[in-house]
Amino acid sequence: MKKWVIGLVMAGLVGVGGARAAGILGFRLLDFNGVLVRWGATEAQPVVVTYGFVAAPVAFSDARNCRAMVPMDDMLARSEIDSAVLQREAAAAFQMWEQVANIRFAAAAPGSRPDILIGAQRDPIAFAFADVTYVKGDGPLRPIERSLICFNPAKRWKVGFDGNLSVYDLRYTLAHEIGHAIGLDHPGGHGQLMSMHYKEDFRALQAGDVSGAVRIYGPRRSGQQAASFAK
Ligand SMILES: [Zn+2]
């Protein structure tokens, strides 16, 4: 029987956590007191991780971040972002990771529980957070059971860069939080998409981000059939 454990607190793009020593590799793996996590059990085949958006208010009593989420509609409306644009930006953000590592993402079928659930915070705080829950058991590498990503709906959001660092780009923020959702932490320092602070110097994965994803999932291999992640 699977047991649920509480996910590590992860800072949003700005906030708690404090930068630790800069990782010379440019990435840092999520480390739950010595336990590393990943989607799926093996690098042999690319794992397919599903994602979806909150459709109705939902709460997770075992989560540290994103404990209560609501649909993103109001947040998007206030920022004048169409829901179709959110879908497009999310797909682009997931694509960044699957283009470099042996992991695939797919929109969850209607009515099914997505592996990565994205929504707006019911109680707005900071900018965005992720929460990762893994399957408890023996061994230093555990499968991720569920990831949550939540946005602060009280903030204004945008699509693209305009130099205003107080309004975050939706795609960049999503890509960063997806990095957490698949097992990466902040590397410390600057210059990576997984770095803690929001910058508009680049809108793609950097060398450290790629190395981190490849460390966990292996490099992307073309022409390989994907295997669904067995829960
Ligand atoms: Zn972060």
Side-chain angles (χ1 to χ4, degrees), residues 158-179:
K158 69 187 177 192
V159 175
F161 290 170
D162 63 1
N164 178 0
L165 300 183
S166 66
V167 179
Y168 287 12
D169 171 33
L170 206 53
R171 184 190 302 186
Y172 186 102
T173 308
L174 268 166
H176 176 100
E177 300 304 335
I178 290 165

Side-chain angles (χ1 to χ4, degrees), residues 58-161:
V58 61
F60 300 93
S61 59
D62 61 335
R64 293 287 293 272
N65 298 317
C66 311
R67 285 173 66 94
M69 296 201 286
V70 296
M72 298 173 77
D73 305 67
D74 290 348
M75 167 186 141
L76 294 172
R78 275 198 294 279
S79 290
E80 298 165 60
I81 296 172
D82 194 86
S83 63
V85 173
L86 169 68
Q87 300 282 345
R88 184 193 72 200
E89 295 302 302
F94 281 109
Q95 234 172 42
M96 287 186 202
W97 294 103
E98 69 180 16
Q99 279 171 352
V100 301
N102 204 26
I103 185 170
R104 303 286 185 272
F105 299 98
S112 69
R113 183 181 77 84
D115 298 321
I116 299 177
L117 181 64
I118 305 166
Q121 301 161 355
R122 187 192 67 190
D123 308 309
I125 183 170
F127 278 87
F129 287 87
D131 188 273
V132 174
T133 303
Y134 62 92
V135 182
K136 198 176 176 186
D138 295 329
L141 181 62
R142 305 299 310 155
I144 296 174
E145 173 78 43
R146 177 199 74 204
S147 288
L148 307 173
I149 293 174
C150 56
F151 287 78
N152 182 340
K155 298 283 187 190
R156 186 170 177 85
W157 296 88
K158 69 187 177 192
V159 175
F161 290 170

Side-chain angles (χ1 to χ4, degrees), residues 8 29-37 134 137-142:
L8 180 74
L29 305 181
L30 278 181
D31 183 334
F32 297 80
N33 296 319
V35 173
L36 302 178
V37 296
Y134 62 92
D138 295 329
L141 181 62
R142 305 299 310 155

Side-chain angles (χ1 to χ4, degrees), residues 10-14 16 128-130 173 176-177 180 184-186 193-197:
M10 275 174 292
L13 289 176
V14 170
V16 296
F129 287 87
T173 308
H176 176 100
E177 300 304 335
H180 290 319
L184 293 170
D185 201 348
H186 301 125
L193 193 138
M194 289 313 297
S195 298
M196 192 187 297
H197 298 284

